[in-house]
Amino acid sequence: MGQRGDRAPCLPLLLLMLLLAFCRGRIVRVPKGPLIRVLGTEVAIPCSVSDYDGPSEQNFDWEFARETDFVRIVSTWDSTFTSEEYQKRVGHGAIKLRRSSNDAVELVIKNIQPTDQGRYKCSTPSTDATVQGNYDAEVQVKVISDGLWVSGSKARSSTSLKLSEGDSFKLRCSAITTSPEHTHLHVTWQIKSGLSWQDILSLTHEGKFQPGPGYEERYRDGDIRLDTGANDTYRLSVSQASSVDAGAYRCLVSEWVRGADSSWQKIQEKSVEIASVSIQRTVLDVLISTSNLSVTERDSLDLTCNITTDRSGIFQAEVTWYFSGSPDDTLSDAQVLLSMDHDSVVSDSTLISLSHVDRNSYRLLVRDVGVEDSGYYFCQAAVWVPLHNGSWHKVVERTSAPVSVVVTALEPDYEVFLNASKTPKFSDDPTELECRITNAQDTEANIRFTVSWYYKKHLPGDDVATEELLATMDADWTLLLGDRSRERTQNGEIIFSKKAVDTFSLRIQWTSESDRGDYFCVISAWSRHRNNSWVKSKDVTSAPVSILWATQDYTLTVEAVKLKPFFVAGHTFEMTCKVSSKNIKTPRYSVLITAEKPLTDQSNPNGTTRIISLNQDSVVRLEDWTDQTRVDGVVLEKVQENEFRYRMYQTQISDAGLYRCVVTAWSPGGGGMWREAVNGLSNPIQIDFQTSGPVFNVSVHSDNLTIYQGELADLLCIITTDGMALEPDDMSFDVSWFAVRSFALDREPVLLASVDRRGIVTQSRRNGSSDLSLERISPLEFRLRVHGCEDHDFGNHYCVVTPWVRSATGVWQQEPAVKAKPVFLSVKMDVLNAFKYPLLIGIGLATVIGLLSCLIGYCSSRWCCKKEVQETRRERRRLMSMEMD
């Protein structure tokens, strides 16, 4: 019973699949009938096939029956298929098949007749493996008489209209149908201005208005309308005709009927040409009666704009006057002066008036002209015509040629004189120039003067220097600074002022070498216009004034002298620097002491060290002196105005080298500032110590240079001496450990740790987990330990040792630093320790997952997947004894 219950759900699915397999088959389709067609028109009946087997291109046979028996018409694959009564029409092409795709054709009947009314059957020969579906389909065709009549106006079939631009016109056509069927008419007005007809406006068979492409906006504005009238007339109304409305017009009428599938079908179409319309453009000429004109300032400007048009009837003109600074400017760039619209309304203006002299003349009058009125004037005219709704339409617009108007200014007459009231004899002396207006005439209250200052540098030979603007004033006497003088003027070094109505001043407080050259001024006259604005009317330039003085080159001599010719380490070194200068006004000196150390000095690989300096104000500053134990060990002082003394106490062997004085001469500048004049360098003074002390050697040693991660690395810095033997208490060392993290020593060394001669250990900051320790294990041995080595601790390691030796006088002397040869420390990875914990974790996880899988399998087989098997009951009967049988 349990097995039958499991099979039961499969039976409906199997039956459904069998039903779908049997239902699938070829389907031949034709339109739903009846198909209503008009006598004498061309009829196309489509037929298609789907869900077929075999080749993609299918064949079709068409047959026709008026009552019961079908007669063969035409076939796509059998030329002998056509019956005798249709052979003539098929042979002449009156009946033919038109293939639209591999699985669809159309039966085309030209000039259908009443005898063609009946049933048409489309069938397809089978190409399927099994016969399934339908192989033919029928459609009923009904032929009705032609009841559609389309005509133009009653006067004649086609008229010719000649219109002017902006006119309106109306066209009429009549369309009526007497068809026995319930049909609708679709009326479309079309225009032909080229080779093809274009739709203007349609009244569809569904009663909707539909504008053609490009006519949507005119339809929305009401310029194009389609109205129906009595006697089945359809009237096209066009307003504001333009050149695009010229052409032939026709009325296209189509008749539509609703089919059996509720879709609309066009059964016939007729058209009639109504009129030929030509649009004549409106001629408009715009001309300013006056040619180029010159007017004196404060006079009046009188211009007249004349318009001429061939327009007749009712129209109005609109006139606008424009002003532009250039004859090539467009209307958008030009300024509108005044305008008069088609209602003769003039825009408001105080000094400009526009009047209508006669029907074709418009006068522009500008009173109290100024220089700013110079330019080009032109007028624009437009013709407006009234529309049927009372509004106005602009039909044409033209612009006149520009007329040049030059306004001659009433320029004042004056002269300009420039003189130097103060001239420099030396650098940093003051300079003052005065620019005066003389012989001024015709300077009324509406005239204002401003000044511009210019500078031109002297160039050798025939070279011409460009003029540089120092400062200029605008009409409001606002000072505008040039690039050359902006910073110095803001600092108060250059002063521009107006001393009197006719006098302008330029003062340079401290003249420098860069100020040598020619100076000139330009006086500008400004005129006040009627709008209270100021316009520059004239510029007058003065003669140049040269600012020059005799100059000589600066000279500076520096001599260095060693005061003590012989001394030993620990004594005081002393030298003086004597300075002499020429052609420098009240100089002051700044002194810098430098030392050129031997190239073996590790503290300064560049060779030159700046020790101490004293500026021109006698302020002392330590430069690159870094010995913290001898901060007060160097002194630089000023002995006389031109003599300086340098002392260095407790000299050491590391102080050996060439010492010089670098002197800079300064002269007083503007504003209490000092200006650098010239630099000088003294002769060198040498410090050389003759010593027969010990020679120190340094080496790095390690018992194991290849270690594993996490282990301890020991590196020893061993110092040995040659020559004179010293007691351990007379020697002390600064030890620094470095590492280069590369094989080829091509990277910068990294400081690991250092210990100074006092035993103070300093470690650099580390990013890893390993640690360092540095200790002194004997007087000549220093040990560096790397605890818990990591892979980034590899590289070349070396130590740098700076010995200190105590002299017989008890003074500690620093010896040159000694660098050991690097040794390479290699750090490897312990594979067993690295993979020990991942392996233990993996084995543990695998064991847990295996036990869990066994437990899930056991539980599933014990409780979840157990089947109850019903066994057949067996009868237990005892065997019968043979004796009893």
Side-chain angles (χ1 to χ4, degrees), residues 39-290:
L39 178 67
T41 60
E42 181 178 287
V43 178
I45 306 174
C47 178
S48 62
V49 62
S50 62
D51 299 334
Y52 58 87
D53 296 333
S56 60
E57 184 175 286
Q58 293 290 297
N59 291 308
F60 297 85
D61 296 335
W62 282 90
E63 298 177 90
F64 170 70
R66 294 187 181 87
E67 294 180 359
T68 57
D69 297 333
F70 280 93
V71 181
R72 292 176 294 177
I73 303 176
V74 68
S75 174
T76 59
W77 63 286
D78 188 1
S79 59
T80 62
F81 179 79
T82 306
S83 63
E84 184 177 354
E85 64 177 293
Y86 283 100
Q87 287 182 358
K88 184 175 181 181
R89 294 177 69 183
V90 172
H92 288 85
I95 298 177
K96 63 181 180 179
L97 287 179
R98 183 166 55 202
R99 183 180 288 275
S100 55
S101 64
N102 288 337
D103 55 3
V105 298
E106 289 180 346
L107 175 64
V108 181
I109 304 175
K110 296 182 179 179
N111 192 16
I112 192 169
Q113 299 299 318
T115 56
D116 295 326
Q117 179 172 296
R119 291 179 295 122
Y120 289 82
K121 181 173 67 173
C122 175
S123 59
T124 58
S126 176
T127 59
D128 304 327
T130 59
V131 178
Q132 297 176 3
N134 67 314
Y135 288 81
D136 57 60
E138 296 182 11
V139 62
Q140 179 73 28
V141 176
K142 183 179 179 180
V143 182
I144 63 175
S145 59
D146 184 4
L148 178 62
W149 179 80
V150 181
S151 65
S153 61
K154 295 182 179 180
R156 49 183 172 174
S157 60
S158 179
T159 60
S160 178
L161 299 178
K162 293 184 178 180
L163 305 173
S164 297
E165 194 174 12
D167 289 347
S168 302
F169 64 93
K170 297 179 181 179
L171 302 176
R172 293 179 179 84
C173 80
S174 300
I176 189 172
T177 180
T178 59
S179 174
E181 298 293 331
H182 181 68
T183 59
H184 288 195
L185 296 183
H186 183 120
V187 180
T188 301
W189 280 95
Q190 295 181 322
I191 183 175
K192 182 180 182 182
S193 57
L195 300 177
S196 60
W197 291 94
Q198 182 182 1
D199 292 347
I200 301 175
L201 186 59
S202 301
L203 177 59
T204 67
H205 53 277
E206 296 179 328
K208 299 178 181 179
F209 289 100
Q210 181 177 346
Y215 290 89
E216 296 87 350
E217 184 176 356
R218 297 182 66 184
Y219 171 74
R220 288 192 298 268
D221 295 340
D223 294 339
I224 295 178
R225 303 192 315 275
L226 197 161
D227 303 319
T228 59
N231 301 324
D232 299 312
T233 59
Y234 299 87
R235 182 175 63 249
L236 175 67
S237 301
V238 179
S239 302
Q240 303 179 16
S242 62
S243 58
V244 297
D245 296 322
Y249 287 78
R250 77 173 182 179
C251 181
L252 179 66
V253 181
S254 57
E255 190 173 8
W256 294 70
V257 65
R258 191 183 293 274
D261 57 353
S262 299
S263 63
W264 288 97
Q265 302 174 7
K266 184 167 67 173
I267 58 176
Q268 70 167 328
E269 186 177 76
K270 292 183 180 180
S271 65
V272 60
E273 291 196 15
I274 304 301
S276 178
V277 178
S278 61
I279 306 296
Q280 182 179 1
R281 286 184 172 272
T282 300
V283 177
L284 178 63
D285 293 329
V286 183
L287 178 66
I288 299 177
S289 58
T290 307

Side-chain angles (χ1 to χ4, degrees), residues 712-717 737-738 752-753 772-775 782-787 797-798:
L712 175 67
D714 281 345
L715 297 174
L716 293 178
C717 183
W737 280 92
F738 294 89
L752 300 179
L772 295 175
S773 64
L774 178 58
E775 58 184 342
F782 295 84
R783 179 169 61 191
L784 174 69
R785 285 186 172 182
V786 183
H787 305 271
H797 291 68
Y798 64 91

